[in-house]
């Protein structure tokens, strides 16, 4: 594969830094409990007509308030927490028009603060793993928190998923959405540069769920933002996802060592359990005695998308649930996707349905640049410099068959 550098756009959002607000860090569990509706926002409409409803969801131990926002469009309903930018629920209809929540999550704040394996979270500064928690940029070595064996995962032990974001609703034509903002200070979790971040969660007129990421920095740094929603298209808490049929336009993937760090190889999927170029059941080859499956205790690997980096989101994946008929198609500008089959759901989590989550009860599809890119010169670059703007877009489209 020919490597390419991250697409950056010079001197973009001049107003971004001025409009972003620094918000508090979570320091511990707070009250979860009842969620009370507070107000409808967005032109006075109710949530069911495209407005945004804001509710008090809980309070962190340091007194920081956490809200839940609900937006709806074309029969897709999205619930988002200000804590971690978490997608708490994503409700879409089946072939009979019956709507169900297809994302895993909790109904109380305490569980997100103390127990969550990144359910629905907005991940940063760096999605996925960085080997030994170190990287060198412009001749200087940076040390990150070690929070996943010997490595750093998802931005460290207090990544973007453990901060409260400012949230504002918006309407653009027939689309409705939420803008999340945060300023990550220089040195946070060991990363250089003050990073000003904006993320838009949009429900389009067609009911698509679109995520647009944007960031600027005042010092050279590395950035790899993503979302960590766990999906089960049969409905959250309904059991295994192994019968979902998945197709990924990826001829290669990045094999890993026993700590799940890429070896640097871009290996062919042909003849392996990682070959989803033609649709097949997620569980069909997941018990195969392949060394990479053993390392991941299932699939927990980055797939190298055939399309590469693109300026606009391009379709690369389709997943279908046979009983409900729900179909999710994903398009992205990113060159990779981390496909994770819920291998570490251990039966210790009880979700919004009141049912326990076990291994294989959900999958995640984290669109991204590749894991450990700051230490892998042959991978597409994740370096962001002053005067450049990081941009990334992923679109989830829903239908039935």
């Amino acid at each position: 594969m020919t490597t390419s550098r991250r697409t950056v756009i010079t001197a973009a959002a001049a107003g971004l830094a001025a409009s972003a607000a620094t918000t508090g860090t979570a320091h511990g569990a707070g009250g979860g409990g009842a969620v009370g509706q507070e107000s409808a926002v967005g032109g006075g409409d109710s949530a069911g007509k495209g407005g945004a409803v804001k509710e008090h969801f809980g309070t962190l131990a340091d007194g920081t308030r956490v809200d839940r926002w609900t937006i709806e469009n074309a029969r897709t309903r999205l619930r988002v927490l200000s804590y971690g930018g978490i997608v708490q629920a994503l409700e879409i209809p089946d072939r009979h028009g019956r709507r169900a929540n297809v994302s895993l999550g909790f109904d109380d704040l305490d569980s997100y603060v103390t127990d969550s394996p990144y359910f629905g979270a907005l991940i940063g500064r760096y999605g996925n793993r960085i080997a030994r928690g170190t990287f060198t940029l412009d001749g200087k070595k940076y040390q990150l928190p070690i929070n996943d064996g010997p490595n750093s995962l998802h931005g460290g032990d207090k990544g973007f998923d453990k901060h409260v974001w400012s949230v504002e609703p918006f309407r653009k034509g027939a689309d409705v959405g939420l803008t999340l903002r945060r300023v990550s200070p220089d040195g946070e979790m060991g990363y250089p540069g003050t990073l000003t971040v904006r993320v838009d969660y949009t429900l389009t007129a067609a009911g698509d769920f679109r995520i647009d990421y944007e960031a600027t920095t005042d010092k050279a740094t590395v950035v790899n933002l993503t979302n960590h929603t766990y999906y089960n298209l049969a409905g959250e808490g309904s059991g295994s996802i192994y019968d979902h049929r998945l197709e990924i336009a990826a001829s290669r993937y990045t094999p890993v060592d026993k700590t799940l760090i890429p070896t640097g190889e871009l290996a062919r999927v042909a003849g392996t359990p990682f070959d989803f170029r033609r649709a097949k059941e997620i569980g069909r080859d997941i018990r195969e005695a392949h060394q990479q499956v053993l390392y991941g205790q299932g699939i927990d690997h980055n797939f190298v998308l055939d399309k590469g980096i693109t300026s606009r989101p391009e379709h690369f994946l389709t997943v279908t649930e046979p009983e409900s008929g729900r179909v999710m198609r994903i398009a992205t500008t990113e060159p990779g996707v981390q496909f994770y089959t819920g291998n570490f759901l251990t039966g210790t989590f009880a979700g919004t349905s009141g049912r326990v989550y076990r291994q294989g009860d959900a999958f995640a599809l984290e669109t991204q640049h590749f894991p450990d890119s700051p230490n892998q010169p042959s991978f597409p670059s994740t370096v962001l410099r002053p005067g450049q703007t990081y941009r990334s877009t992923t679109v989830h489209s829903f239908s039935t068959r």
Side-chain angles (χ1 to χ4, degrees):
M1 172 183 171
T2 301
T3 59
S4 59
R5 296 186 64 81
R6 171 183 297 281
T7 301
V8 292
I9 301 174
T10 305
L16 183 60
S19 61
T22 305
T23 53
T25 304
H27 295 294
V35 178
Q37 181 170 318
E38 181 173 286
S39 60
V41 188
D45 291 339
S46 70
K49 295 181 180 179
V53 173
K54 176 184 175 182
E55 304 165 288
H56 180 233
F57 190 74
T59 305
L60 298 172
D62 65 359
T64 303
R65 172 191 169 108
V66 173
D67 294 317
R68 181 174 74 175
W69 291 82
T70 302
I71 56 176
E72 183 174 347
N73 214 359
R75 300 223 58 206
T76 300
R77 181 183 293 148
L78 177 68
R79 301 187 191 276
V80 175
L81 305 184
S82 58
Y83 178 75
I86 288 169
V87 173
Q88 194 235 359
L90 178 63
E91 300 172 20
I92 59 175
D94 65 8
R95 64 165 62 95
H96 302 294
R98 297 173 299 205
R99 194 158 53 183
N101 176 23
V102 298
S103 67
L104 273 59
F106 301 117
D107 59 7
D108 67 285
L109 179 59
D110 288 354
S111 295
Y112 282 110
V113 173
T114 61
D115 294 329
S116 180
Y118 304 100
F119 283 149
L122 202 168
I123 301 296
R125 287 189 189 190
Y126 198 95
N128 221 305
R129 297 172 176 87
I130 294 180
R132 299 174 299 282
T134 65
F135 67 92
T136 299
L137 179 59
D138 295 340
K140 183 175 179 179
K141 185 176 181 179
Y142 294 92
Q143 180 65 57
L144 314 174
I146 303 300
N147 64 330
D148 184 63
N151 306 313
S152 186
L153 175 66
H154 293 332
D157 48 7
K158 290 185 180 178
F160 285 5
D161 59 296
K162 296 179 178 65
H163 290 264
V164 175
W165 293 63
S166 69
V167 182
E168 297 176 1
F170 69 84
R171 184 194 304 273
K172 186 176 181 180
D175 299 344
V176 296
L178 302 169
T179 294
L180 293 83
R181 291 187 173 95
R182 181 168 187 273
V183 176
S184 174
D186 184 17
E188 184 175 68
M189 293 288 99
Y191 289 89
T194 300
L195 193 74
T196 303
V197 184
R198 170 178 174 158
V199 180
D200 285 348
Y201 288 163
T202 303
L203 293 184
T204 71
D208 298 346
F209 174 33
R210 176 180 176 125
I211 308 177
D212 292 284
Y213 308 87
E214 184 174 295
T216 57
T217 185
D218 63 359
K219 186 186 297 184
T221 191
V222 295
V223 185
N224 193 30
L225 306 181
T226 191
N227 178 270
H228 207 301
T229 295
Y230 288 65
Y231 292 100
N232 185 323
L233 296 186
E236 171 272 336
S238 65
S240 173
I241 48 83
Y242 290 160
D243 63 347
H244 286 52
R245 291 181 60 81
L246 176 66
E247 181 178 357
I248 308 177
S251 301
R252 296 177 184 268
Y253 75 107
T254 52
V256 296
D257 64 19
K258 63 182 178 181
T259 72
L260 301 184
I261 291 293
T263 63
E265 179 187 5
L266 304 184
R268 295 189 180 278
V269 300
T272 77
F274 302 91
D275 192 351
F276 288 90
R277 292 173 297 170
R278 292 186 178 181
K280 68 176 182 180
E281 290 79 12
I282 289 175
R284 194 181 82 178
D285 302 318
I286 208 163
R287 306 289 182 189
E288 191 171 313
H290 188 284
Q291 184 60 65
Q292 289 296 309
V293 174
L294 294 173
Y295 280 155
Q297 298 183 37
I299 297 176
D300 188 7
H301 291 72
N302 171 67
F303 285 68
V304 179
L305 304 184
D306 293 341
K307 72 176 191 62
I309 299 171
T310 49
S311 59
R312 295 183 178 181
E314 291 189 10
H315 170 257
F316 71 94
L317 181 148
T318 302
V319 58
T320 305
E321 200 285 309
E323 291 300 317
S324 67
R326 292 187 181 95
V327 179
M328 180 170 67
R329 292 166 55 89
I330 304 181
T332 191
T333 57
E334 290 293 299
V337 63
Q338 185 80 7
F339 175 39
Y340 169 59
T341 52
N343 315 322
F344 303 109
L345 297 175
T346 59
T348 59
F349 303 116
T352 51
S353 62
R355 296 177 62 84
V356 170
Y357 300 147
R358 299 192 180 277
Q359 185 181 51
D361 280 358
F363 58 88
L365 294 162
E366 304 152 64
T367 52
Q368 58 175 16
H369 271 51
F370 304 166
D372 199 37
S373 288
N375 296 310
Q376 304 270 0
S378 65
F379 287 179
S381 175
T382 55
V383 174
L384 181 70
R385 298 186 180 277
Q388 299 175 331
T389 297
Y390 168 100
R391 285 196 176 97
S392 175
T393 299
T394 296
V395 181
H396 308 75
S397 301
F398 307 104
S399 61
T400 59
R401 61 176 57 162

